[in-house]
């Protein structure tokens, strides 16, 4: 076993206080001096904090949530961690005057060592500091092993520390670390036994979360459901439970269920950019254009001034807005198109390393023209300014593929789509979902040559000319592209009702009618729409509840 260095003495410990209030800085600094810590640095804002961390590896970092306008504490913590300035053995304390449930959920998710609510009480600060220093000293070997991902050694040290009567107050924390180590080692059966035993003595949320994770990883969903029902009622476990369920459903290719769970998790802890990215991926896979648009908006909003911030986030908002517009009438689409045009104009003003490429903007302009039915203008832009070569970004290539498809240039669209799979690798949450999304796109782009809006318009013309068969095919494809579109579902029932007047519906038509029924019977609708739906279902013989 690798030799572990001795723990630091208080006089060797370095501390960084990140807070814009000098009163807070002075109060904490004086408390630190009382416990023998004198190597203390202050940072008024995130920018200066990052500069200090580049030169010093701090042992204790206190982060105010409301650091300053340049970056909030949540994103600063993320950046410090990603850059290696915060390690497993770094003691982290969050400071905040705000205690809203959303903020608390976000902070809990980061798992700091402590959370102090402002205004700070001097005596309480000294007590908490003494406690945290004691934890650092006594768990030094254990934290060192965790920082070096040596989970077997961590379990070895943890089990021995549980035998030490002087560590009585730290027993729950030590036991939590042991459980985390079993999960990290993928010893899920052992983790199940371990957490089951712990549940006899502890009611902590992390015990239930750990046991549920171990059960789900072994496919024991029925056993996990008993715990899940309880955890969804608890404030301290609810959003972690939604995350667990989303991952479980992804692994079992149950993408609609995963999407619902991820929406709930994101609502409870909205600042997590990676979770919003998962939500975006699932929205795309589930054909929820509005959900896709909202997820990209949240990503751009919460990533502002963070390590995640980039013009790509604005590009993705524009792209998802155009995707949404392709499913709407021109009147419905206008606000989204106007917002996209304003965002494009702002991106054109970007200079330097954050600038957006000319080809990216050209593709967006072409797609906007397509939505506005100016396909000749769009085709001119694509011919003159856009190449067929590979782009570095998956999203750039996806956008280009959509532009060619919307122009009816199917061969170019499919050629790009065939290459996209090579850009996805691994078995992570994101790659699994995006892989499935690309498969779905490949099937739909080959089968369906038009956007949902174009298909609805074609269906309206065919219906008016009494061509019910083609109208049905148009609406069937439109519903496939927009499976939550109530207007399309209602139009589909209307067309099928007309077909049923002169001919018996075939199995395909009955199946599509059932899909429309399920959507319209679960959606919120006004009395007039409900009456119209019920009339169609009665004429089709689908008004009886299925057993």
């Amino acid at each position: 076993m690798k030799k572990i260095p001795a723990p630091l003495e208080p006089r060797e410990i370095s501390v960084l206080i990140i807070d814009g209030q000098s009163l807070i800085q002075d109060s904490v600094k004086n408390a630190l001096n009382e416990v023998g810590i004198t190597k203390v640095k202050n940072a008024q804002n995130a920018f200066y904090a990052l500069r200090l961390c580049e030169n010093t590896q701090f042992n204790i970092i206190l982060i105010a949530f409301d650091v300053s306008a340049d970056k909030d504490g949540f994103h600063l913590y993320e950046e410090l961690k990603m850059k290696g300035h915060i390690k497993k053995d770094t003691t982290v304390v969050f400071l905040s005057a705000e205690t809203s449930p959303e903020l608390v959920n976000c902070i809990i998710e980061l798992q700091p060592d402590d959370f102090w609510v402002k205004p700070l009480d001097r005596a309480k600060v000294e007590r908490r500091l003494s406690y945290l220093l004691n934890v650092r000293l006594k768990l030094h070997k254990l934290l060192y092993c965790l920082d070096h991902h040596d989970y077997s050694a961590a379990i070895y040290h943890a089990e021995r520390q549980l035998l030490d009567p002087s560590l009585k107050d730290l027993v729950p924390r030590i036991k939590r670390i042991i459980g985390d180590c079993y999960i990290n080692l993928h010893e899920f059966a052992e983790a199940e036994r371990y957490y089951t035993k712990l549940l006899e003595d502890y009611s902590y949320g992390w015990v239930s979360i750990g046991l549920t994770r171990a059960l789900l990883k072994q496919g024991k969903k029925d056993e996990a459901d008993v715990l899940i029902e309880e955890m969804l009622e608890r404030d301290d476990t609810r959003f972690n439970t939604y995350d667990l369920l989303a991952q479980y459903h992804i692994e079992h290719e149950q993408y609609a269920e995963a999407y619902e769970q991820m929406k709930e998790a994101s609502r409870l802890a909205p600042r997590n950019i990676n979770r919003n990215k998962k939500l975006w991926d699932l929205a795309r896979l589930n054909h929820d254009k509005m959900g896709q648009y909202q997820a990209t908006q949240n990503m751009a909003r919460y990533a502002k001034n963070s390590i995640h911030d980039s013009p790509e986030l604005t590009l993705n908002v524009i792209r998802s807005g155009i995707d949404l517009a392709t499913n709407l009438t021109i009147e419905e689409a206008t606000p989204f198109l106007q917002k996209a045009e304003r965002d494009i104009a702002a991106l054109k003003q970007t200079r330097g390393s954050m600038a957006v490429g000319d080809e990216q903007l050209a593709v967006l302009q072409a797609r906007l023209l397509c939505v506005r039915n100016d396909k000749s203008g769009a085709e001119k832009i694509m011919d003159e300014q856009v190449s067929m070569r590979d782009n570095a970004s998956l999203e750039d290539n996806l956008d280009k593929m959509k532009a060619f498809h919307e122009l009816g240039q199917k061969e170019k669209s499919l050629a790009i789509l065939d290459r996209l799979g090579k850009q996805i690798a691994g078995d992570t949450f994101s790659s699994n979902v995006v892989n499935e999304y690309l498969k779905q796109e490949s099937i739909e782009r080959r089968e369906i040559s038009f956007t949902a809006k174009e298909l609805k318009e074609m269906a309206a013309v065919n219906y008016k000319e009494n061509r019910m068969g083609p109208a049905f095919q148009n609406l069937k494809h439109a519903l496939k592209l927009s499976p939550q579109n109530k207007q399309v579902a209602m139009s589909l029932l209307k067309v099928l009702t007309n077909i049923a007047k002169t001919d018996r519906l075939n199995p395909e038509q009955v199946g599509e009618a059932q899909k429309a029924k399920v959507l319209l019977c679960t959606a919120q609708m006004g009395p007039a729409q409900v009456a119209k739906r019920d009339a169609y279902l009665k004429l089709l013989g689908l008004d009886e509840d299925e057993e």
Side-chain angles (χ1 to χ4, degrees), residues 77-204:
Y77 177 94
E78 276 193 316
E79 187 164 351
L80 290 171
K81 195 168 184 180
M82 289 175 69
K83 291 182 174 179
H85 302 315
I86 289 178
K87 300 181 178 181
K88 291 287 186 183
D89 60 354
T90 306
T91 300
V92 179
V93 178
F94 254 99
L95 314 173
S96 178
E98 184 186 341
T99 56
S100 68
E102 292 82 7
L103 173 63
V104 172
N105 280 338
C106 290
I107 290 175
I108 288 173
E109 189 172 18
L110 298 176
Q111 294 189 11
D113 295 273
D114 219 345
F115 178 35
W116 299 349
V117 179
K118 298 179 183 180
L120 302 180
D121 175 79
R122 169 70 182 274
K124 185 176 180 180
V125 168
E126 285 188 27
R127 286 197 305 273
R128 295 306 300 169
L129 281 173
S130 295
Y131 171 78
L132 292 171
L133 287 172
N134 192 43
V135 170
R136 277 187 57 84
L137 179 65
K138 292 182 175 180
L139 301 187
H140 171 69
K141 290 182 178 179
L142 184 50
L143 296 174
Y144 180 88
C145 292
L146 289 177
D147 205 40
H148 290 78
H149 308 290
D150 192 348
Y151 302 114
S152 296
I155 293 173
Y156 170 85
H157 287 295
E159 289 177 340
R160 276 145 188 77
Q161 289 186 306
L162 288 176
L163 303 175
D164 185 346
S166 70
L167 300 180
K168 182 180 178 182
D169 291 343
L170 300 179
V171 165
R173 178 167 178 167
I174 295 170
K175 289 188 173 182
R176 181 174 185 172
I177 289 172
I178 292 174
D180 288 342
C181 288
Y182 283 131
I183 296 293
N184 283 316
L185 289 168
H186 291 191
E187 295 181 11
F188 301 121
E190 184 60 37
E192 179 192 346
R193 288 190 287 271
Y194 179 75
Y195 284 118
T196 300
K197 181 67 177 173
L198 280 186
L199 206 56
E200 297 174 6
D201 303 315
Y202 297 108
S203 60
Y204 298 124

Side-chain angles (χ1 to χ4, degrees), residues 182-414:
Y182 283 131
I183 296 293
N184 283 316
L185 289 168
H186 291 191
E187 295 181 11
F188 301 121
E190 184 60 37
E192 179 192 346
R193 288 190 287 271
Y194 179 75
Y195 284 118
T196 300
K197 181 67 177 173
L198 280 186
L199 206 56
E200 297 174 6
D201 303 315
Y202 297 108
S203 60
Y204 298 124
W206 57 263
V207 179
S208 298
I209 290 289
L211 178 54
T212 303
R213 179 178 282 111
L215 290 169
L216 290 176
K217 285 295 184 182
Q218 296 176 86
K220 298 181 178 181
K221 181 64 163 56
D222 291 340
E223 294 176 47
D225 280 342
V226 178
L227 286 166
I228 287 167
E229 188 175 343
E230 296 174 1
M231 292 192 299
L232 289 175
E233 297 297 319
R234 293 177 56 166
D235 291 339
D236 62 332
T237 56
R238 190 175 296 121
F239 77 91
N240 279 324
T241 306
Y242 286 128
D243 256 355
L244 283 178
L245 285 171
Q247 183 61 55
Y248 172 83
H249 290 306
I250 286 293
E251 291 169 359
H252 290 78
E253 299 183 359
Q254 299 163 346
Y255 301 111
E257 293 88 343
Y259 183 39
E260 293 305 314
Q261 306 299 339
M262 192 57 68
K263 281 195 285 189
E264 289 300 320
S266 296
R267 180 179 61 82
L268 292 169
R271 291 180 175 273
N272 188 303
I273 302 303
N274 289 328
R275 183 180 289 112
N276 277 306
K277 174 64 168 66
K278 293 175 184 178
L279 186 63
W280 176 35
D281 288 337
L282 286 166
R284 292 197 286 192
L285 186 55
N286 283 278
H287 292 98
D288 185 354
K289 305 296 186 185
M290 181 58 79
Q292 172 185 332
Y293 184 62
Q294 291 169 340
T296 55
Q297 283 188 310
N298 284 338
M299 287 169 64
R301 173 189 172 194
Y302 288 116
K304 198 71 177 172
N305 297 324
S306 78
I307 195 171
H308 305 283
D309 198 4
S310 80
E312 284 291 324
L313 296 178
T314 303
L315 281 174
N316 291 334
V317 174
I318 298 168
R319 289 161 175 161
S320 61
I322 295 172
D323 287 347
L324 175 59
T326 61
N327 286 263
L328 305 173
T329 65
I330 193 63
E331 292 78 14
E332 293 169 331
T334 296
F336 301 103
L337 298 178
Q338 290 174 342
K339 171 71 163 57
E341 286 165 347
R342 290 195 300 271
D343 288 343
I344 289 172
L347 285 176
K348 285 181 177 179
Q349 302 302 315
T350 308
R351 295 288 182 268
S353 61
M354 297 287 278
V356 175
D358 291 338
E359 186 172 272
Q360 292 170 304
L361 295 173
V363 172
L364 292 174
Q365 293 282 13
R367 294 195 67 200
L368 281 171
L369 290 174
C370 278
V371 179
R372 294 190 182 280
N373 294 320
D374 182 3
K375 292 202 173 184
S376 60
E379 191 166 3
K380 186 173 187 295
I381 289 175
M382 294 298 287
D383 287 345
E384 294 178 358
Q385 301 181 48
V386 179
S387 73
M388 281 294 291
R389 69 176 185 275
D390 277 339
N391 287 46
S393 164
L394 171 73
E395 297 304 330
D396 287 345
N397 282 330
L398 264 174
D399 208 32
K400 192 188 296 186
M401 178 274 294
K402 291 174 184 176
F404 282 124
H405 186 269
E406 287 154 7
L407 280 170
Q409 297 180 15
K410 197 168 183 178
E411 287 187 10
K412 288 184 177 179
S413 174
L414 295 179

